[in-house]
mmCIF file with all atom_site columns, all heavy atoms in Angstrom:
data_model
loop_
_atom_site.group_PDB
_atom_site.id
_atom_site.type_symbol
_atom_site.label_atom_id
_atom_site.label_alt_id
_atom_site.label_comp_id
_atom_site.label_asym_id
_atom_site.label_entity_id
_atom_site.label_seq_id
_atom_site.pdbx_PDB_ins_code
_atom_site.Cartn_x
_atom_site.Cartn_y
_atom_site.Cartn_z
_atom_site.occupancy
_atom_site.B_iso_or_equiv
_atom_site.pdbx_formal_charge
_atom_site.auth_seq_id
_atom_site.auth_comp_id
_atom_site.auth_asym_id
_atom_site.auth_atom_id
_atom_site.pdbx_PDB_model_num
ATOM 1  N N   . LEU H 1 235 ? -8.275  -64.892 -38.002 1.00 89.00 ? 235 LEU H N   1
ATOM 2  C CA  . LEU H 1 235 ? -9.106  -65.423 -36.928 1.00 89.00 ? 235 LEU H CA  1
ATOM 3  C C   . LEU H 1 235 ? -10.014 -66.533 -37.476 1.00 89.00 ? 235 LEU H C   1
ATOM 4  O O   . LEU H 1 235 ? -10.181 -67.586 -36.866 1.00 89.00 ? 235 LEU H O   1
ATOM 5  C CB  . LEU H 1 235 ? -9.937  -64.310 -36.305 1.00 89.00 ? 235 LEU H CB  1
ATOM 6  C CG  . LEU H 1 235 ? -10.728 -64.637 -35.025 1.00 89.00 ? 235 LEU H CG  1
ATOM 7  C CD1 . LEU H 1 235 ? -10.904 -63.394 -34.173 1.00 89.00 ? 235 LEU H CD1 1
ATOM 8  C CD2 . LEU H 1 235 ? -12.077 -65.238 -35.326 1.00 89.00 ? 235 LEU H CD2 1
ATOM 9  N N   . ARG H 1 388 ? -14.981 -69.865 -33.089 1.00 87.00 ? 388 ARG H N   1
ATOM 10 C CA  . ARG H 1 388 ? -14.544 -68.468 -33.227 1.00 87.00 ? 388 ARG H CA  1
ATOM 11 C C   . ARG H 1 388 ? -14.335 -67.831 -31.858 1.00 87.00 ? 388 ARG H C   1
ATOM 12 O O   . ARG H 1 388 ? -13.397 -67.065 -31.648 1.00 87.00 ? 388 ARG H O   1
ATOM 13 C CB  . ARG H 1 388 ? -15.593 -67.686 -34.039 1.00 87.00 ? 388 ARG H CB  1
ATOM 14 C CG  . ARG H 1 388 ? -15.146 -66.262 -34.361 1.00 87.00 ? 388 ARG H CG  1
ATOM 15 C CD  . ARG H 1 388 ? -16.178 -65.563 -35.253 1.00 87.00 ? 388 ARG H CD  1
ATOM 16 N NE  . ARG H 1 388 ? -15.793 -64.189 -35.460 1.00 87.00 ? 388 ARG H NE  1
ATOM 17 C CZ  . ARG H 1 388 ? -14.982 -63.748 -36.401 1.00 87.00 ? 388 ARG H CZ  1
ATOM 18 N NH1 . ARG H 1 388 ? -14.407 -64.617 -37.207 1.00 87.00 ? 388 ARG H NH1 1
ATOM 19 N NH2 . ARG H 1 388 ? -14.687 -62.473 -36.536 1.00 87.00 ? 388 ARG H NH2 1
ATOM 20 N N   . GLN H 1 389 ? -15.225 -68.137 -30.913 1.00 86.00 ? 389 GLN H N   1
ATOM 21 C CA  . GLN H 1 389 ? -15.077 -67.558 -29.562 1.00 86.00 ? 389 GLN H CA  1
ATOM 22 C C   . GLN H 1 389 ? -13.781 -68.010 -28.906 1.00 86.00 ? 389 GLN H C   1
ATOM 23 O O   . GLN H 1 389 ? -13.115 -67.196 -28.257 1.00 86.00 ? 389 GLN H O   1
ATOM 24 C CB  . GLN H 1 389 ? -16.279 -67.965 -28.691 1.00 86.00 ? 389 GLN H CB  1
ATOM 25 C CG  . GLN H 1 389 ? -17.539 -67.178 -28.981 1.00 86.00 ? 389 GLN H CG  1
ATOM 26 C CD  . GLN H 1 389 ? -18.661 -67.563 -28.027 1.00 86.00 ? 389 GLN H CD  1
ATOM 27 O OE1 . GLN H 1 389 ? -18.535 -68.502 -27.224 1.00 86.00 ? 389 GLN H OE1 1
ATOM 28 N NE2 . GLN H 1 389 ? -19.777 -66.846 -28.114 1.00 86.00 ? 389 GLN H NE2 1
ATOM 29 N N   . LYS H 1 390 ? -13.448 -69.279 -29.082 1.00 86.00 ? 390 LYS H N   1
ATOM 30 C CA  . LYS H 1 390 ? -12.232 -69.795 -28.453 1.00 86.00 ? 390 LYS H CA  1
ATOM 31 C C   . LYS H 1 390 ? -11.004 -69.065 -28.953 1.00 86.00 ? 390 LYS H C   1
ATOM 32 O O   . LYS H 1 390 ? -10.068 -68.750 -28.179 1.00 86.00 ? 390 LYS H O   1
ATOM 33 C CB  . LYS H 1 390 ? -12.090 -71.297 -28.722 1.00 86.00 ? 390 LYS H CB  1
ATOM 34 C CG  . LYS H 1 390 ? -13.052 -72.156 -27.926 1.00 86.00 ? 390 LYS H CG  1
ATOM 35 C CD  . LYS H 1 390 ? -12.755 -73.646 -28.155 1.00 86.00 ? 390 LYS H CD  1
ATOM 36 C CE  . LYS H 1 390 ? -13.627 -74.514 -27.256 1.00 86.00 ? 390 LYS H CE  1
ATOM 37 N NZ  . LYS H 1 390 ? -13.263 -75.938 -27.359 1.00 86.00 ? 390 LYS H NZ  1
ATOM 38 N N   . VAL H 1 391 ? -10.984 -68.788 -30.242 1.00 85.00 ? 391 VAL H N   1
ATOM 39 C CA  . VAL H 1 391 ? -9.852  -68.078 -30.808 1.00 85.00 ? 391 VAL H CA  1
ATOM 40 C C   . VAL H 1 391 ? -9.921  -66.595 -30.495 1.00 85.00 ? 391 VAL H C   1
ATOM 41 O O   . VAL H 1 391 ? -8.917  -65.951 -30.182 1.00 85.00 ? 391 VAL H O   1
ATOM 42 C CB  . VAL H 1 391 ? -9.768  -68.289 -32.346 1.00 85.00 ? 391 VAL H CB  1
ATOM 43 C CG1 . VAL H 1 391 ? -8.644  -67.468 -32.948 1.00 85.00 ? 391 VAL H CG1 1
ATOM 44 C CG2 . VAL H 1 391 ? -9.578  -69.756 -32.658 1.00 85.00 ? 391 VAL H CG2 1
ATOM 45 N N   . ALA H 1 392 ? -11.122 -66.018 -30.571 1.00 84.00 ? 392 ALA H N   1
ATOM 46 C CA  . ALA H 1 392 ? -11.298 -64.570 -30.363 1.00 84.00 ? 392 ALA H CA  1
ATOM 47 C C   . ALA H 1 392 ? -10.820 -64.158 -28.982 1.00 84.00 ? 392 ALA H C   1
ATOM 48 O O   . ALA H 1 392 ? -10.265 -63.059 -28.811 1.00 84.00 ? 392 ALA H O   1
ATOM 49 C CB  . ALA H 1 392 ? -12.773 -64.192 -30.551 1.00 84.00 ? 392 ALA H CB  1
ATOM 50 N N   . ASP H 1 393 ? -11.002 -65.039 -27.979 1.00 80.00 ? 393 ASP H N   1
ATOM 51 C CA  . ASP H 1 393 ? -10.605 -64.700 -26.625 1.00 80.00 ? 393 ASP H CA  1
ATOM 52 C C   . ASP H 1 393 ? -9.105  -64.434 -26.510 1.00 80.00 ? 393 ASP H C   1
ATOM 53 O O   . ASP H 1 393 ? -8.645  -63.688 -25.656 1.00 80.00 ? 393 ASP H O   1
ATOM 54 C CB  . ASP H 1 393 ? -10.989 -65.828 -25.655 1.00 80.00 ? 393 ASP H CB  1
ATOM 55 C CG  . ASP H 1 393 ? -12.497 -65.919 -25.473 1.00 80.00 ? 393 ASP H CG  1
ATOM 56 O OD1 . ASP H 1 393 ? -13.189 -64.923 -25.792 1.00 80.00 ? 393 ASP H OD1 1
ATOM 57 O OD2 . ASP H 1 393 ? -13.003 -66.983 -25.036 1.00 80.00 ? 393 ASP H OD2 1
ATOM 58 N N   . ARG H 1 394 ? -8.345  -65.074 -27.381 1.00 86.00 ? 394 ARG H N   1
ATOM 59 C CA  . ARG H 1 394 ? -6.886  -64.903 -27.293 1.00 86.00 ? 394 ARG H CA  1
ATOM 60 C C   . ARG H 1 394 ? -6.257  -64.367 -28.596 1.00 86.00 ? 394 ARG H C   1
ATOM 61 O O   . ARG H 1 394 ? -5.059  -64.318 -28.734 1.00 86.00 ? 394 ARG H O   1
ATOM 62 C CB  . ARG H 1 394 ? -6.234  -66.246 -26.928 1.00 86.00 ? 394 ARG H CB  1
ATOM 63 C CG  . ARG H 1 394 ? -6.425  -67.362 -27.929 1.00 86.00 ? 394 ARG H CG  1
ATOM 64 C CD  . ARG H 1 394 ? -5.782  -68.659 -27.440 1.00 86.00 ? 394 ARG H CD  1
ATOM 65 N NE  . ARG H 1 394 ? -5.639  -69.660 -28.474 1.00 86.00 ? 394 ARG H NE  1
ATOM 66 C CZ  . ARG H 1 394 ? -6.580  -70.486 -28.860 1.00 86.00 ? 394 ARG H CZ  1
ATOM 67 N NH1 . ARG H 1 394 ? -7.793  -70.448 -28.285 1.00 86.00 ? 394 ARG H NH1 1
ATOM 68 N NH2 . ARG H 1 394 ? -6.369  -71.364 -29.845 1.00 86.00 ? 394 ARG H NH2 1
ATOM 69 N N   . PHE H 1 395 ? -7.124  -63.963 -29.542 1.00 87.00 ? 395 PHE H N   1
ATOM 70 C CA  . PHE H 1 395 ? -6.589  -63.540 -30.827 1.00 87.00 ? 395 PHE H CA  1
ATOM 71 C C   . PHE H 1 395 ? -5.780  -62.246 -30.725 1.00 87.00 ? 395 PHE H C   1
ATOM 72 O O   . PHE H 1 395 ? -4.799  -62.065 -31.459 1.00 87.00 ? 395 PHE H O   1
ATOM 73 C CB  . PHE H 1 395 ? -7.710  -63.355 -31.862 1.00 87.00 ? 395 PHE H CB  1
ATOM 74 C CG  . PHE H 1 395 ? -7.209  -63.113 -33.249 1.00 87.00 ? 395 PHE H CG  1
ATOM 75 C CD1 . PHE H 1 395 ? -6.640  -64.127 -33.991 1.00 87.00 ? 395 PHE H CD1 1
ATOM 76 C CD2 . PHE H 1 395 ? -7.264  -61.828 -33.809 1.00 87.00 ? 395 PHE H CD2 1
ATOM 77 C CE1 . PHE H 1 395 ? -6.152  -63.919 -35.276 1.00 87.00 ? 395 PHE H CE1 1
ATOM 78 C CE2 . PHE H 1 395 ? -6.781  -61.613 -35.096 1.00 87.00 ? 395 PHE H CE2 1
ATOM 79 C CZ  . PHE H 1 395 ? -6.224  -62.655 -35.825 1.00 87.00 ? 395 PHE H CZ  1
ATOM 80 N N   . GLY H 1 396 ? -6.176  -61.352 -29.835 1.00 86.00 ? 396 GLY H N   1
ATOM 81 C CA  . GLY H 1 396 ? -5.407  -60.119 -29.652 1.00 86.00 ? 396 GLY H CA  1
ATOM 82 C C   . GLY H 1 396 ? -3.979  -60.425 -29.249 1.00 86.00 ? 396 GLY H C   1
ATOM 83 O O   . GLY H 1 396 ? -3.014  -59.860 -29.785 1.00 86.00 ? 396 GLY H O   1
ATOM 84 N N   . GLU H 1 397 ? -3.832  -61.369 -28.306 1.00 90.00 ? 397 GLU H N   1
ATOM 85 C CA  . GLU H 1 397 ? -2.491  -61.761 -27.865 1.00 90.00 ? 397 GLU H CA  1
ATOM 86 C C   . GLU H 1 397 ? -1.742  -62.492 -28.977 1.00 90.00 ? 397 GLU H C   1
ATOM 87 O O   . GLU H 1 397 ? -0.548  -62.293 -29.185 1.00 90.00 ? 397 GLU H O   1
ATOM 88 C CB  . GLU H 1 397 ? -2.618  -62.670 -26.633 1.00 90.00 ? 397 GLU H CB  1
ATOM 89 C CG  . GLU H 1 397 ? -1.281  -63.092 -26.036 1.00 90.00 ? 397 GLU H CG  1
ATOM 90 C CD  . GLU H 1 397 ? -1.456  -63.974 -24.813 1.00 90.00 ? 397 GLU H CD  1
ATOM 91 O OE1 . GLU H 1 397 ? -2.549  -63.940 -24.204 1.00 90.00 ? 397 GLU H OE1 1
ATOM 92 O OE2 . GLU H 1 397 ? -0.514  -64.716 -24.465 1.00 90.00 ? 397 GLU H OE2 1
#
Side-chain angles (χ1 to χ4, degrees):
L235 189 152
R388 187 176 175 85
Q389 282 184 354
K390 286 186 175 186
V391 176
D393 291 341
R394 62 182 194 277
F395 188 73
E397 183 179 340

